[in-house]
């Protein structure tokens, strides 16, 4: 039986940051589930960089169904966790069911991949204290406030935590996460 990987997300998640790991991990043979506040069709967004803008722009992205609500997830059934970015982490960090799930993954030292604004979720449970991470560069002060040592690099590995800045770093992020998964939760 293939190891299960959980992706936690919600509306306004960055399309590429959900769908790239979803497809890449399935390609490797993992059983991947998407959990959100409720079972429903999620509306993702596209963040892009436009000349003359000081920050990214946002456009409507793909829709995708959530397989599970956070309240339905048994973290013991999953070998690893993926936390995409976009705007979703800004409100998801307030969800007590999600915080409980995240804590279970960190308490058992399971592999966690986070990208872009995803580290706002791990910061909400105290999971970044004393760790080296990267995130979307505008979150540098948030990462430091959470007790992390911020690095502006395409990917940072600290134990079982693999982080990346944003979707342009996908290749390096998934390469490092898959190296960790193959060691800790190989596909059987």
């Amino acid at each position: 039986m293939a190891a299960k990987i959980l992706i936690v997300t919600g509306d306004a998640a960055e399309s590429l940051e959900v769908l790239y790991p979803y497809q890449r991990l399935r390609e490797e043979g993992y059983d991947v589930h998407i959990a959100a506040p409720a079972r429903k069709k999620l509306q993702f967004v596209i963040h892009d960089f436009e000349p003359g803008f000081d920050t990214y722009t946002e456009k409507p992205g793909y829709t995708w169904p959530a397989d599970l609500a956070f309240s339905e997830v048994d973290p013991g059934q999953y070998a690893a966790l993926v936390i995409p970015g976009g705007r979703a982490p800004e409100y998801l960090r307030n969800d007590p069911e999600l915080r409980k799930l995240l804590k279970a993954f960190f308490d058992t030292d399971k592999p966690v991949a986070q990208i872009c604004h995803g580290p706002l979720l791990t910061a909400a449970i105290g999971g970044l204290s004393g760790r080296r991470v990267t995130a979307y560069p505008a979150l540098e002060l948030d990462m430091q406030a959470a007790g992390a040592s911020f690095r502006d690099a395409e990917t940072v590995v600290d134990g079982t935590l693999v982080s990346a800045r944003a979707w342009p770093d996908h290749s390096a992020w998934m390469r490092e996460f898959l190296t960790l998964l193959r060691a800790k939760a190989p596909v059987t």
Side-chain angles (χ1 to χ4, degrees), residues 17 49 115-117 134-137 153-154 164-170 173:
E17 293 173 3
F49 304 94
I115 189 166
C116 194
H117 284 70
T134 193
Y136 187 69
E154 65 182 357
R165 294 175 298 199
W167 60 261
D169 300 331
H170 274 161
W173 181 52

Side-chain angles (χ1 to χ4, degrees), residues 16-83:
L16 289 174
E17 293 173 3
V18 176
L19 296 175
Y20 179 81
Y22 177 81
Q23 293 170 336
R24 183 66 189 94
L25 292 165
R26 286 179 47 119
E27 180 182 52
E28 284 290 314
Y30 291 97
D31 186 9
V32 184
H33 299 158
I34 295 177
R39 283 188 193 223
K40 67 173 210 161
K41 186 191 298 186
L42 299 168
Q43 176 64 61
F44 300 146
V45 297
I46 296 169
H47 287 161
D48 206 354
F49 304 94
E50 303 286 342
F53 278 68
D54 291 330
T55 188
Y56 55 82
T57 61
E58 183 173 286
K59 299 166 185 74
Y62 295 105
T63 59
W64 200 265
D67 300 305
L68 301 159
F70 296 146
S71 63
E72 298 173 308
V73 175
D74 174 1
Q77 298 295 308
Y78 293 90
L81 176 69
V82 176
I83 307 171

Side-chain angles (χ1 to χ4, degrees), residues 4-182:
K4 293 181 185 178
I5 309 292
L6 183 66
I7 298 176
V8 294
T9 195
D11 288 323
E14 212 295 325
S15 293
L16 289 174
E17 293 173 3
V18 176
L19 296 175
Y20 179 81
Y22 177 81
Q23 293 170 336
R24 183 66 189 94
L25 292 165
R26 286 179 47 119
E27 180 182 52
E28 284 290 314
Y30 291 97
D31 186 9
V32 184
H33 299 158
I34 295 177
R39 283 188 193 223
K40 67 173 210 161
K41 186 191 298 186
L42 299 168
Q43 176 64 61
F44 300 146
V45 297
I46 296 169
H47 287 161
D48 206 354
F49 304 94
E50 303 286 342
F53 278 68
D54 291 330
T55 188
Y56 55 82
T57 61
E58 183 173 286
K59 299 166 185 74
Y62 295 105
T63 59
W64 200 265
D67 300 305
L68 301 159
F70 296 146
S71 63
E72 298 173 308
V73 175
D74 174 1
Q77 298 295 308
Y78 293 90
L81 176 69
V82 176
I83 307 171
R87 280 187 301 111
E90 294 174 11
Y91 69 90
L92 291 176
R93 61 185 164 178
N94 297 311
D95 188 306
E97 287 293 328
L98 178 55
R99 288 196 309 268
K100 192 168 41 175
L101 286 176
L102 296 172
K103 189 158 174 25
F105 280 90
F106 277 84
D107 287 351
T108 54
D109 203 32
K110 291 183 179 179
V112 174
Q114 61 183 12
I115 189 166
C116 194
H117 284 70
L120 290 173
L121 296 179
T122 52
I125 61 157
L128 298 182
S129 184
R131 298 196 101 148
R132 290 174 296 109
V133 300
T134 193
Y136 187 69
L139 297 183
E140 180 176 0
L141 295 178
D142 299 278
M143 298 299 96
Q144 291 170 350
S149 173
F150 179 82
R151 305 280 200 283
D152 187 6
E154 65 182 357
T155 191
V156 172
V157 179
D158 186 321
T160 56
L161 179 63
V162 180
S163 55
R165 294 175 298 199
W167 60 261
D169 300 331
H170 274 161
S171 297
W173 181 52
M174 278 294 110
R175 186 171 36 252
E176 293 295 341
F177 189 55
L178 284 166
T179 297
L180 182 60
L181 282 177
R182 289 176 186 131

